[in-house]
Amino acid sequence: MNVLNYTTRPASWQIGSHAVQRDELLEEMLNTLCTEDFLEANPELDQKEVLKALIAREEMRTTAMGHSIAFPHARLEKLNRAFLAVGVLPKPVLFDTEPVQIVCLILAPASEPATSLKMMAHLSRLLMDESVRQQVLEVSDPETLRDLFKKHNSRIDKSITARDVMRPPRFSVQETDRIAICSHLMSVNGLQAVPVVNSEKKITGEITVDRLFRYGLPDFFAQLKSVSFIAEFDPFEKYFEDERDILACDMMMPDVHTVSLDYTLMEIVFDLTIKSVVQLYVEDEEGRWVGTIDKSTLLDNVINY
Amino acid sequence: MLLPILVFLLIYFFIATEIIDKTIAALIGAGLMIGLHFVHYEDALHAIDLNVIFLLVGMMVVVNTLTDTGVFEWLAIKLARLAKGNGLVIAVLFMVLTAVLSAFLDNVTTVILMAPITILLCQLLEMPAVPVLIMEAVFSNIGGAATLIGDPPNILIGSQTHLSFNDFILNMTPPVLVIMVLLLGVMALMFRKQMRTTEQTRKRIEQSRPEKAILQPLVLRKAVVVFGFILAGFFAGRLLNIEPGIIALAGAMVMVLVCKKDIHHSLAHVEWNTILFFAGLFMMIAALEHHHVFEKMGELILQLCGGNLMATVLTILWFSAIASAIIDNIPLVMAMIPLVKGIIPVFAQQMGLEDAALIQAQIAEPLLWALALGACLGGNGTLVGASANVVITQIANRNKCPITFWSFTKYGFPFMIASLFVAHIYLYVRFFM
């Protein structure tokens, strides 16, 4: 299959929206996409419900993935086949905190969950290419936009890999950061793990919540069957007071789970669920950190999308 | 005869120095002995004492079932409350608990159970954990000597010489009790200043909730009942003519069944490396026996002791103790048993005894009790003398309570000498006065 099979001419190729807000933009794109033909083909579909579903998905977690790209999408019971609309904006619109200029809006029937994931995978792969992205941003009419996508043989039967589901790098600490900074960063942002990155953007280790606690707690704690029999004793201040000034490089665990961009979805699911890895770090060919995959990314991409 | 001895000494070197993991060393050694045809494979297999293996596996399953219930934490916190938070009394009671537990459980298991709760309570009471931990290792070795199932040397001696569980209770428990009382007194004198607790820390013990320590009350109740039956089985073993190994193993399976434990989980927690270590050693010793090595060594000892039984008994006591203080007592006892068995008929002939019961009572028993006392108590001599010492040191060091070779030996060695003097006097009074 090809992504162009899911587009309609000309409603799918939208240039020059002047919307300033995300929801306004989504509504505008839907209005263009939901032509009479479209509504006739999907008689049970309510356009307002579709908009609601799109917004609900955005509220759950933004679909912006960096590099000015976003994939607003919805799974719909009453849709007969998948649809794609591509919008290119002259001025960026904020998706959460991310400025977005290329919007790939995807509607998929609930019965075809893999289609939207594969479409997203293909489109993100295509648009991550700097030169393609530049060409898309410079397009001035819908026909040229369509030709651009047509030119890049947009088949979507390749299997999904790490590059398709990863999230761009966000939180990290440096080797010389103090642990107090790491634990603050993790608690403020609700992180389970944070990578330790060197000056070349390469990951040298990882600090997890579990590690932070295990490092401070004495070993005998782990040997006890329970501690409920002690009613009044809080030695934690003492246990953790020495910990605050330790450097990240001294506490980090060096065996980080790094994977290549081509790591398959099957392998990712296996590592995160069966092997209980907290977070996978995706590296490019030079070993630089380019993305992160954790369980919630997986939920977004495999179950909730 | 020389080659098998050389192989044995080489493997023994690796076991003693721990350059290679002892299980790997023992099994490679067994492979060499059989591969080089120093012993027939069939004979080597027959030498593996399944009674010992079954006893070890059975007791490991029993301990794991009991441990999961949280009963050991409960016992410890109960004792701490009984002592009303008085540090010295707690230390003394913990030593008694350690000794009693090791009399029925493996020493290493006992210290693994005791060490974490001991460190926690010492932090709670703000008193030093190191001396208490060292003493726990010492008392686990002493308590282990009291019964047939308390320590591997006793298990081996019991299994290979037809001494029953009750024989151990009658002959080993009394001297062990005397040693304990004596050493508890010494310990209390030594540590009376270090173990002082304040009112504030004692309050923490007062406020503890021992009942919360029991995680599986129903399982615990059932397990204790089955454990009681297993112990009764040990006591009645001689009467019923059932060996302890099968009592422990079958009893453990009853416990797993009654407590609705997952058998895979229970068996996964058996220390198979220890079990295979025993199997490897048994096969290696079989090769030496095949070449009559121990008979020759027995003759040598007899010559050294001038054919005097009392001198031989006391030599065995002190020799096995000093040797156990330096090297692992399991291979030592495995090698000493055939040696002792070899010299029994020589003494019988010399003393003109023909009645088997008399030979057992007057010659075999003093020799074997000397071996058991020496091998068990000798473990306290140095840090590396017993696995329990090594394990407690590892736990202590991981918890910022450093124990060094000398800080252990400083207490362990004099305690060993004192306990050996008691054993020496006991053997003399009991058999030669």
Side-chain angles (χ1 to χ4, degrees), chain B residues 14 36 61 66 71 98 100 135 141 202 221 245 255 257-258 296-297 315 323 365 368 382 392 395 431:
Chain B
F14 286 126
L36 297 171
V61 171
L66 285 168
V71 67
T98 307
V100 172
M135 283 299 135
N141 293 323
R202 280 197 291 272
R221 241 172 282 157
M255 190 179 280
L257 183 72
V258 172
K296 295 268 162 32
M297 282 176 69
T315 304
E365 287 207 17
L368 291 168
T382 67
I392 211 147
I395 299 176
F431 295 102

Side-chain angles (χ1 to χ4, degrees), chain A residues 192-210:
Chain A
Q192 286 294 313
V194 63
V196 183
V197 179
N198 67 12
S199 54
E200 293 161 24
K201 262 206 107 192
K202 288 183 179 167
I203 294 180
T204 54
E206 184 185 42
I207 293 173
T208 59
V209 174
D210 199 43

